[in-house]
Amino acid sequence: MYSSSPIHLEGGPGGLLVTAPERWSPTADPDLGIYRVADGADGNLLEFLGERRFTEDGTDRGMDFRDADFSADGSVLAVADGVRGTVLLGGQDARFLENPYAPLPEGVAPTAVAFSPDGKWFAQGGAASGDAADLTLAFADPSVERQPLRISFEDEAAGHRVVPRGMEFSGDGQQLFVVTSNQEGTRFWLHTIQTREALAPSRFVDVTHGPAVAGGPFRVTGRLDLDGLAPTEAPRITVQRLNGLEVADLPSVPVAEDGTFVLEDVLPDRVGDVHYVLGYAGDEVHYRSEHWLVVDTVKASNTVTRGGR
């Protein structure tokens, strides 16, 4: 393979490889190629899968490459194009695909794209002016109807834009690493963004309890609020009881369709503080939450029988 222009390479799952030449002039129309790395048994190290020019008839500007990344399963190749924004291509044949993702704000120059290796997240980076978002973080599955997390880098101590090819996810998809620069491109910063920040919040509300008599039955009621989409599986609440140095894991508590739950327990047979830790582990679209309940138990009153004369 030979080219008179600099070529950017990006690897993908299953030995996928994309080659993207830089534009040598504003009217140039470089072609992007997708290959699979072979074992070389037939004398060829690369198996050609497809190519794509962004304009076929020369009436429009060609690809102005900034970055590219394959989805976790290799079915989609996202390309950050300086003219068109984010362009999606078939990861195996380079055909144009419909783009279901919310774009960067109007006027923001695209600079970077990244899919997380766990298949959950898709990020788009750019160079914005003012308080427009330089970064959007969304679910890779476009059927999850949730607005993306939007971040603006407008700080002399944190950078003003995402640099080209300046984003990468951690292997487990829990962090997004972003390199930003100042407007002149002479100073650079590395940011670590926790992807859980893009999850919908969950919270415990209206948690109340009945009488707290040492050694007696005890009842707690409350509601688990989940923003956005309903979870795919019915949530359950984990419960821990802390009685001095003693820690007991109680059976989990189901959550009703309206979010309400009821915890029933028997209090330890001593007077004093008992702590309950209610937890929700989160799900595919909701972040975890926790609630501490401090209960002051009282001694049971003695029943005195009065005899007649």
Side-chain angles (χ1 to χ4, degrees):
M1 181 182 294
Y2 171 79
S3 172
S4 59
S5 299
I7 292 182
H8 299 279
L9 305 178
E10 183 71 35
L16 290 172
L17 175 71
V18 60
T19 62
E22 287 187 3
R23 224 170 34 166
W24 57 90
S25 75
T27 58
D29 191 16
D31 59 327
L32 175 147
I34 297 181
Y35 301 83
R36 190 184 306 278
V37 179
D39 58 11
D42 59 355
N44 297 313
L45 292 175
L46 295 178
E47 174 191 359
F48 176 73
L49 299 180
E51 65 178 346
R52 174 59 55 193
R53 294 183 187 273
F54 281 22
T55 174
E56 296 290 351
D57 57 7
T59 59
D60 196 3
R61 288 175 292 178
M63 177 180 65
D64 186 12
F65 181 83
R66 293 290 183 269
D67 193 13
D69 197 24
F70 286 97
S71 61
D73 62 0
S75 63
V76 177
L77 174 67
V79 180
D81 180 85
V83 176
R84 298 163 183 83
T86 299
V87 178
L88 299 186
L89 303 175
Q92 310 289 318
D93 53 17
R95 73 188 189 280
F96 283 119
L97 300 177
E98 181 181 354
N99 188 349
Y101 298 112
L104 291 165
E106 186 174 353
V108 177
T111 58
V113 288
F115 284 101
S116 64
D118 62 352
K120 187 169 183 178
W121 302 105
F122 176 60
Q124 302 174 80
S129 59
D131 59 357
D134 301 270
L135 172 68
T136 66
L137 175 61
F139 286 98
D141 181 356
S143 67
V144 179
E145 298 177 357
R146 173 163 172 78
Q147 288 296 313
L149 175 68
R150 301 183 188 275
I151 297 176
S152 176
F153 297 104
E154 287 299 323
D155 189 339
E156 292 297 332
H160 289 269
R161 62 176 183 170
V162 179
V163 303
R165 298 169 299 282
M167 297 193 309
E168 195 73 42
F169 283 93
S170 61
D172 58 9
Q174 294 186 18
Q175 290 89 30
L176 173 64
F177 304 109
V178 181
V179 176
T180 62
S181 75
N182 57 3
Q183 298 286 8
E184 298 74 23
T186 57
R187 300 180 64 195
F188 298 89
W189 293 263
L190 174 63
H191 305 264
T192 302
I193 297 171
Q194 305 297 324
T195 54
R196 63 172 179 264
E197 295 179 21
L199 293 173
S202 64
R203 67 190 69 82
F204 288 91
V205 297
D206 301 332
V207 179
T208 59
H209 65 83
V213 178
F218 182 62
R219 179 183 174 94
V220 178
T221 60
R223 190 174 78 252
L224 177 67
D225 270 0
L226 301 175
D227 286 1
L229 294 176
T232 55
E233 297 182 0
R236 297 189 71 89
I237 306 300
T238 60
V239 184
Q240 274 192 333
R241 184 182 63 217
L242 285 66
N243 178 31
L245 298 178
E246 178 186 345
V247 179
D249 291 317
L250 305 183
S252 62
V253 176
V255 177
E257 288 188 5
D258 62 357
T260 58
F261 62 88
V262 177
L263 162 65
E264 294 184 333
D265 189 29
V266 176
L267 289 167
D269 191 15
R270 75 171 185 86
V271 175
D273 289 343
V274 177
H275 294 211
Y276 286 87
V277 183
L278 310 179
Y280 175 55
D283 54 47
E284 287 298 307
V285 296
H286 297 99
Y287 188 52
R288 67 179 184 267
S289 58
E290 188 177 85
H291 181 84
W292 283 68
L293 178 65
V294 180
V295 179
D296 186 16
T297 63
V298 297
K299 185 177 181 181
S301 59
N302 293 325
T303 302
V304 179
T305 304
R306 298 182 63 185
R309 291 187 178 179

